[in-house]
Structure formats: structure tokens, C-alpha cells
Amino acid sequence: MRNQPAAATASRPQARAADLTVRRRAGRRRSWLPYLTLLPASVLIASFVVFPVATVFYYSLQQYDVTRPYLNGFVGLDNFRQVLTSDDVFRTSLAVSVKWVGSEVVGQLVLGMILALVLNSAFRGRGLARSLLFSPWAVSGVVVTTMWKLLYNPFTGMLDTVLTRVGLIHAPIQWLSDLDTVFGAVVAAELWRGVPFFAIVLLAALQGIPTDLYEAAAVDGAGRWQAFTRVTLPLLKDAIILATLLRGVWEFNNVDLIYTMTAGGPGDLTTTLPLYVVNQAIRYHNFGYGSALSVVAFAVLLLFAVLYLRLGRFGRDD
Amino acid sequence: MRTPLSKLRGPAAALLAMLAVACGGGASSGGGSASTASAAPVTITFWDTNAGPDRTPVWQELIKRFQAANPNITVEYTGIPIAQQLQKLQAAIASGAVPDVANPLTSQLSGMVAQDGLLPLDKQFNGWSGKGDIPAPLITSIRALVPDKKLYAIPISGNMTTLYYRKDWIAQKGLKPPTTWDDFYTDVNALNDPAHNVYGFGFRGATGSASQLENWVFSEAGLTTYFDSKGNASIGSQAAISVIQRAVGLYGKQTSKDDITHGFPEMVSEFDSGHAAMIMHNLGSYPQHITALGKDAVGAVTLPALSGGKHVLLNSPNISAMVFKGTKHADAAWKFAAFLAAPDSVSYFNEKIGQIPPNEKVASAQWVKDNAGIQNALATQKQSNTTLVNPPWILPDYSAIESQMEPSLQKMLLGQVTPSQFASDLAGKLATSKRQYDQAHKP
């Protein structure tokens, strides 16, 4: 027993050392465990996002035409120089993109807000109305195109037939070939498809607003308009900013509906920047120049997203 | 002994050779390449580059017949719509995920060879029993499309740009069929009735429009060479510009304004539904028009003659069987390609789609004699004052240039670009491409 303190004294450093070792091991395990768990996702992201994006940046510095390998090679910034200084279609397609995104996002926001407010109120058949109004969101762009092209058909389309019968027009309107109507016609088709997205997002946000806020506003003498502008809108701010940003990016990159409806025509009137990229890279086989256009489009979107979030003070309380 | 065909030079002789063969050849034979290999079972893939309800069943029937004759080979069919086929093939070659066999047009050959995507078939073709059934000038013309002059494609079907018109309406109005350009414009004006949604002509204003206009311009302007000795494209000449002006002048008056959005399906539908009195397409849509309107209502002629009866026609590319370099079953792939080019298959396929069989043994088949479009094409080809002009399919970016001109053509229809600007832009692109190609392929 006399030896016990000595033994204890001797074993204490050993125990401390053992404890330290265990802790070190655990620490080491802790230090690589997060990386290990992140690895699968990182590999996927690197393979399917980083590598393709890096490839686009690489090809943007090349003349790369798959059918004319005798012209291929490094061209430095020539592609960018051409995009920014002498490509008229780039300028017009960028302008069409801005017009397209503006029309779609504003139109969808306003109509989506109206729909959400209506669907947020109680009325008989609300469930059915919700299902019907949200259904266009589930329809693919190509199907939307087919449907709207049938509606716009100047020979057999319902739109011209109805307008003629009610006496609003005397001759069929060529909706998709007339300079004055083609852009609006395509915007209308995409609005039909896109409005439900805003309605869903805004309806979800509306249902999260406590009713006692409206009761308090009513006690303070607020009418419906004041309740909307002072209670509803401020509380929907983050949802609106996020939805408009996402929709803005999606609409900027929208190709399916425009491509299948007008192929960017007539005469580039509905050619947006992504559609121009598709034409250059896929139809004209000019992958180098198409990549340079993609890099420029990427920069435009990045700038837009950063400015929009900063100016909108996203996530911050006013 | 020199035949009249052998006097003609270059690829332009090829179609004439093929048509002459089709016109006067020997008896149709059952032929075919039925052979049963004893090798282990293999599966090959076949990409149909013009899939759709009309043609897919035809290819599927041919595959069925091939598999019955070659039970150890399974052919997997993949149908690709024509509008996307070129980009799909090019992407497939670039990524190495190629089919074993496909059926593209010979006009696409040079681009795919430039990508090093195709297998040369000289050895297999030279040892093939069906070799003699295919006109030699046609094979020569296909070899001429690529820098190494090897054979990468075996022809299955020939074609010709055709003017379809409403025979019944022309008879009712006491007009002459549009066999000359003057008659064409007279008929277009006389049959135009916009008040009833019926137009004299159905213009192709969207996909494929530049190619159609090019055929029109060469024929009406009588341009007999594609490039002059200095390398300038004749589409930029004053004669071409005048024709473009006249043709574009029809838009919105003798054509529907909606034509600016019309590719192949819309244009054909406009004609078949009785909204256009005439359209330009190739022989391939003949069966469709006959089904929709009946034999008595549809006339089919080659593009009209100049005053004096002279015809100038741009050649049309052939549908061909091509074997891809990435194939792991080269023997089976060749066997299938040869089967498609054999008389029985060529006869069956071309009868169904209404095109010209490039095979001597099919030439005198009854169905060839019964097809008015083919007969008219053959008769025109036989005339001594017909000139065939070959488009520069040798340029790998030729089809891309035509695609690039389509928005510009629409702008021209809308009055935003003049015919002179359009012609000069197109001619400039073609001349630049030719110069770059010649420079890269200097002997």
C-alpha cells in the first residue's frame, strides 16, 4: 500500500499520455472526417460543375471548330475582342435578353402576386383552383410551345378565330412572324408557364404571416391597401427577392421555349444571348466563339446577381 | 468505250449517271446481301438521321429483314429528327460515343471525315459482290468530297429539288404547268387568293431556307459554276441578286407572311392543307403529298427551265450508309451497310420514300416508272441542254454557312437586309471558307 502513491504517481503521466494519445487520435479523426464526408459531393461538383466550366473558359481562348480542325488553335483574347467590338448579333441578343428577363420577371411577379392573394383567401373550390392554376408549371417547354403555336396559327388557330368572330380584327394576325407581335407572343406563352412559380412561392410566404399582424393593423385603422403595403409586402420581401433572382437567372438562360417556338427569329428578333450561344456552338460548330460568349454571359449574370442581392439587402432586416 | 456519262467531269456527273442508270437499267432482281455469318452474336447500333412516322417504319422493316438473314447480328435502331442529326453526329464523334452505322447525307461527309469519325470502306467495297450495281461515277463523286479520296459512304438513295404544284387548280384556271420560270410566276400570281387564305407559293423562311433559295437562284439565274476561277462564289453575282430580289418580292403578297417561320413540316403542311398552290422541296415528300391530296391534284416537276428550255439544276446529296471509326464490330457494321445498299433494300426504301434508287438493278422497277416526280427528274436529266451544278459539299462548314444565313434571309424578307447585302454576305463566307480549305489542303 505504501507503494501505491508512488505507483499512482508513476501511472499518472502514463494515463495522461494515454489520454493525450486518445484525444489526439480523436482530434485527428475529427480533422479528416468532415473532409471525408464532403469528398463524394466535392468529386461530383468538380466533375460536373468545375471541370465543364473550366473547359468553357479554356475553349474561350481557342479557335475550335470540330469540322475545320485545320483552323484550330490558341487565339488569346481574339474571341472576346470580336464579341465586344464587332459582333452586332451579340449586342442585339443581349438587348433581347434584358428585355425578355425584364418582361418575364415583372409580369410573372405581378400576376403571381395577384394569384397568390386570391388563393390565400377562403372561397369554395379553392383546392381545385390551386391545382388548376399551378398545373402550367409542370408542363415542359416543348409542350407549351406546341400548344401556343396551335393557338397562334393564322389559318387554324383559336386566337385569330375568336378575335375575328367578335369583330376585333378583320384579317388573321401572324403572331409569330409579324415584327410587332412576335416578341409579345413568345412572352405571353412563357408568362403562362412561369406565373405559377411565383404564385407558389408567394402563397407559401403569405401563409407564414401571422394573422394578428393584420388584426393589429386593422385596430390601427389600416385599410386593405395599407395592410398590403405596410404588412404583406415588407414580410414578403425576402421571398420576392429570392424568387425574382432565381427566375431572372432561369429566364436569362431560357432556351427551350424560344428555340422551339421561333428558333430566335424572325431575323434574330427573339434571339437571346443563350440562344445565340447555342447557335454558334451547336449549329455553326464554332465552339471557341460560343465558349467566349458563354463566359461573357456568365460575367453578366454574376454581376447582376451580386448587385441585386446587395441592393435588395437580402436577408437583412430593414 | 466512252459513254456520255464518262464525258462529264466531277461530282456533277454522278447524279446524271445514277439517274441514267435508273432510267434504262436492267431487270430488277431480288438481290440482297443475305448471308449468314457463323461468328458470335453481336449487337450494332444504327442511327437514322431522318426519323419520323414516315421513315422510321421503313428502316425498322429493313432491320427486320437484315436480322432474319443474319441471325447472329442484332441492330439497335435509334431515330434522330433531321433538324438535330448533324449536331448529334458531330457531338458523338467528338465524344467517341458513335453509332456503328448511320445514314447521313453525302453533303455532311467532309465535316465528319475532317473530324476523323468515319471508317474508310474501300477494301470492303472492292470485295463486295454488289459493287457493280452502283454507278461508278457516283462512287467517284463521293470519293471526290474528301481530301484523301477514300470511300466513306455507300449511296442508298438519290434526290432532286422538285417544284410541287396543284395540278387540279392549274387545270381549272386554264394555266400552263410551271415548267418555265415565266410560267411559274404567272401561275403564282393567278393562283394567289389571300382573301381565302390561299397563296400562290409557300416560301420556306426558317430552317433550310438558305438551301432552298440557293437552288432557286442557280436555276433561275442559270449559274453554271459555283465558284469562278478567282474563287468568287457566283451567288454574289448581279444575276443572282436579281433573282433573289424577284423571289423575295413574292413574300407577303403571293405568300403568307407566316412563311417566314416555316421549315420543312410547316411548308409541307401548308401545301397539303390547300393553303399554298406551289412549294419547292425534294422528291422525298412526294408520297406525303399524294396521300394528302391525291394523284390527280399534285404535279411534280424539277425546278423550271429558262426561256429556251435550258435547265440549270443544283445537285442534291445522297442518303448514304456510313460506318463509324469507333465501331467495335466493323465486319457486322459493313455487312449491314452493304445490305442497305443492296438492290432489294434500295428498291424497298426508295419506293416508300419516293426517291431515286442509285442502283442499276432497281432502275426499271415498275414503281420507278409510276412515280411522276422521279420520271420528270429523269427526263430532265436526259435533256442535252441540262446543266448540273455541284454545291461545294467539299467544304466542311458548307451546311453551317447555310444555317448562319437563315436569320439574314429572314431579315431580307422583313426588309431589314437588301438582296445585295444578303448575296454579298453569303458569297463572302463561301469564298473565305474555300480559300481556307484550299490553303489547308495544298498538295
Side-chain angles (χ1 to χ4, degrees):
Chain A
M1 291 297 284
R2 267 187 300 172
N3 289 338
Q4 269 181 351
T9 313
S11 66
R12 223 173 283 141
Q14 281 173 357
R16 221 177 291 135
D19 186 42
L20 207 60
T21 309
V22 170
R23 256 191 272 165
R24 268 189 201 144
R25 273 190 197 148
R28 237 179 277 142
R29 204 177 304 132
R30 267 203 303 277
S31 64
W32 56 256
L33 192 64
Y35 298 105
L36 190 70
T37 50
L38 283 173
L39 191 64
S42 306
V43 169
L44 283 176
I45 290 169
S47 307
F48 295 106
V49 179
V50 178
F51 177 70
V53 169
T55 307
V56 168
F57 276 84
Y58 168 77
Y59 279 118
S60 70
L61 304 173
Q62 307 280 325
Q63 157 74 33
Y64 184 60
D65 179 338
V66 289
T67 62
R68 295 193 295 166
Y70 45 87
L71 296 178
N72 292 351
F74 180 73
V75 291
L77 297 173
D78 282 1
N79 286 332
F80 292 100
R81 207 166 292 130
Q82 191 183 337
V83 169
L84 299 172
T85 60
S86 60
D87 188 344
D88 291 339
V89 183
F90 164 71
R91 280 192 284 271
T92 56
S93 62
L94 185 60
V96 172
S97 279
V98 171
K99 207 165 101 177
W100 169 258
V101 172
S103 315
E104 286 300 337
V105 174
V106 172
Q108 289 176 24
L109 174 64
V110 172
L111 295 174
M113 177 70 84
I114 294 168
L115 267 183
L117 290 170
V118 171
L119 293 173
N120 196 39
S121 54
F123 60 92
R124 188 180 286 184
R126 188 170 72 162
L128 181 67
R130 279 184 184 178
S131 307
L132 286 176
L133 288 167
F134 293 154
S135 59
W137 180 241
V139 182
S140 88
V142 179
V143 178
V144 174
T145 293
T146 309
M147 205 176 73
W148 281 85
K149 275 180 103 168
L150 287 172
L151 283 174
Y152 288 143
N153 189 302
F155 299 120
T156 57
M158 197 182 79
L159 197 57
D160 276 349
T161 308
V162 170
L163 291 175
T164 310
R165 286 198 182 165
V166 298
L168 284 175
I169 58 172
H170 300 293
I173 295 174
Q174 321 274 342
W175 296 98
L176 295 176
S177 45
D178 193 298
L179 283 170
D180 300 324
T181 57
V182 61
F183 186 79
V186 183
V187 164
E190 178 62 9
L191 273 179
W192 179 84
R193 182 171 68 154
V195 164
F197 169 78
F198 272 93
I200 293 168
V201 172
L202 296 176
L203 181 61
L206 278 173
Q207 288 178 340
I209 300 174
T211 47
D212 51 0
L213 289 179
Y214 291 106
E215 287 162 11
V219 169
D220 289 344
R224 288 185 110 183
W225 177 248
Q226 279 173 315
F228 176 70
T229 53
R230 301 288 172 86
V231 179
T232 309
L233 271 185
L235 291 171
L236 288 181
K237 191 196 88 176
D238 278 359
I240 290 172
I241 288 176
L242 191 64
T244 47
L245 176 65
L246 285 176
R247 204 66 197 141
V249 173
W250 291 340
E251 289 298 353
F252 185 89
N253 289 322
N254 185 326
V255 168
D256 61 347
L257 186 129
I258 305 174
Y259 186 77
T260 47
M261 194 168 251
T262 64
D268 294 327
L269 277 173
T270 54
T271 298
T272 55
L273 187 51
L275 199 53
Y276 185 44
V277 173
V278 170
N279 283 339
Q280 279 294 337
I282 308 296
R283 290 189 74 203
Y284 314 151
H285 322 139
N286 201 346
F287 287 93
Y289 194 67
S291 298
L293 286 167
S294 297
V295 170
V296 174
F298 173 77
V300 169
L301 273 184
L302 191 67
L303 188 69
F304 165 74
V306 170
L307 284 178
Y308 192 74
L309 289 177
R310 288 211 163 189
L311 293 174
R313 299 174 60 81
F314 180 69
R316 293 180 211 168
D317 292 328
D318 290 322
Chain B
M1 192 182 102
R2 282 170 71 83
T3 65
L5 294 178
S6 63
K7 289 177 192 165
L8 290 164
R9 288 183 185 175
L15 184 61
L16 183 55
M18 185 179 75
L19 294 167
V21 162
C23 192
S28 176
S29 91
S33 64
S35 63
T36 310
S38 57
V42 294
T43 298
I44 57 171
T45 51
F46 169 65
W47 284 11
D48 172 13
T49 57
N50 191 359
D54 296 326
R55 297 201 179 181
T56 296
V58 181
W59 289 109
Q60 284 171 333
E61 170 60 23
L62 286 173
I63 289 169
K64 205 169 108 190
R65 292 180 186 185
F66 175 74
Q67 290 180 156
N70 299 273
N72 62 318
I73 303 173
T74 303
V75 180
E76 281 182 355
Y77 173 90
T78 301
I80 303 170
I82 193 164
Q84 284 106 49
Q85 56 91 15
L86 181 58
Q87 65 210 47
K88 296 262 184 211
L89 285 171
Q90 287 171 342
I93 295 171
S95 64
V98 289
D100 296 283
V101 183
N103 61 351
L105 296 169
T106 42
S107 53
Q108 298 167 216
L109 186 63
S110 58
M112 289 193 279
V113 169
Q115 280 188 274
D116 197 22
L118 298 176
L119 194 71
L121 300 170
D122 301 79
K123 202 177 139 194
Q124 294 92 324
F125 183 75
N126 289 333
W128 180 43
S129 60
K131 174 187 167 183
D133 299 335
I134 300 175
L138 180 57
I139 294 296
T140 306
S141 74
I142 293 173
R143 288 183 198 276
L145 294 175
V146 291
D148 63 9
K149 309 301 176 207
K150 288 182 181 171
L151 184 65
Y152 292 93
I154 312 295
I156 298 171
S157 179
N159 216 339
M160 176 60 70
T161 300
T162 302
L163 180 65
Y164 293 101
Y165 62 95
R166 288 299 296 262
K167 200 160 62 177
D168 50 348
W169 295 354
I170 281 187
Q172 281 163 18
K173 294 224 169 192
L175 299 164
K176 284 197 280 183
T179 52
T180 68
W181 282 106
D182 288 341
D183 289 338
F184 166 78
Y185 284 102
T186 305
D187 292 349
V188 164
N189 282 322
L191 298 172
N192 195 44
D193 184 11
H196 293 95
N197 253 338
V198 174
Y199 294 90
F201 187 70
F203 206 100
R204 188 167 182 168
T207 312
S209 57
S211 172
Q212 185 195 71
L213 186 63
E214 197 180 37
N215 274 276
W216 185 336
V217 170
F218 269 79
S219 181
E220 192 181 341
L223 306 173
T224 53
T225 54
Y226 204 94
F227 290 105
D228 67 14
S229 55
K230 291 176 185 165
N232 298 314
S234 39
I235 195 86
S237 66
Q238 193 48 52
I241 293 168
S242 301
V243 172
I244 294 172
Q245 196 139 25
R246 197 176 180 194
V248 168
L250 297 178
Y251 175 71
K253 300 181 193 86
Q254 284 84 4
T255 79
S256 161
K257 277 191 174 172
D258 201 46
D259 285 5
I260 200 168
T261 62
H262 286 191
F264 162 72
E266 295 86 359
M267 177 183 70
V268 166
S269 155
E270 190 182 4
F271 181 71
D272 289 349
S273 60
H275 291 293
M278 285 186 242
I279 56 163
M280 272 179 210
H281 186 240
N282 58 47
L283 289 167
S285 57
Y286 182 74
Q288 200 172 328
H289 305 313
I290 298 298
T291 307
L293 301 167
K295 242 180 178 175
D296 296 335
V298 181
V301 290
T302 57
L303 292 192
L306 297 162
S307 49
K310 182 185 173 186
H311 276 96
V312 178
L313 303 169
L314 269 188
N315 262 332
S316 297
N318 292 282
I319 297 173
S320 300
M322 300 183 193
V323 177
F324 286 78
K325 207 172 189 175
T327 179
K328 290 186 174 69
H329 307 291
D331 290 343
W334 161 253
K335 194 169 279 186
F336 183 57
F339 173 84
L340 295 177
D344 273 359
S345 307
V346 166
S347 182
Y348 173 76
F349 177 70
N350 285 287
E351 181 181 3
K352 291 289 180 192
I353 69 164
Q355 293 191 180
I356 303 164
N359 193 298
E360 289 186 16
K361 284 186 173 165
V362 186
S364 58
Q366 189 56 45
W367 71 262
V368 177
K369 292 174 186 162
D370 292 344
N371 184 308
I374 294 180
Q375 288 305 311
N376 183 272
L378 297 173
T380 306
Q381 297 303 315
K382 281 168 72 183
Q383 290 170 8
S384 57
N385 57 354
T386 294
T387 305
L388 291 170
V389 181
N390 221 41
W393 295 322
I394 197 163
L395 302 176
D397 59 335
Y398 174 60
S399 60
I401 291 174
E402 287 195 325
S403 299
Q404 282 175 52
M405 293 309 297
E406 286 166 6
S408 180
L409 194 151
Q410 291 183 323
K411 286 177 187 168
M412 184 166 64
L413 293 176
L414 294 169
Q416 296 173 335
V417 164
T418 65
S420 174
Q421 287 169 328
F422 174 84
S424 135
D425 189 13
L426 175 55
K429 284 186 164 71
L430 288 163
T432 304
S433 173
K434 184 178 186 306
R435 196 176 58 250
Q436 289 169 335
Y437 180 88
D438 290 344
Q439 210 160 2
H441 296 92
K442 270 184 193 164

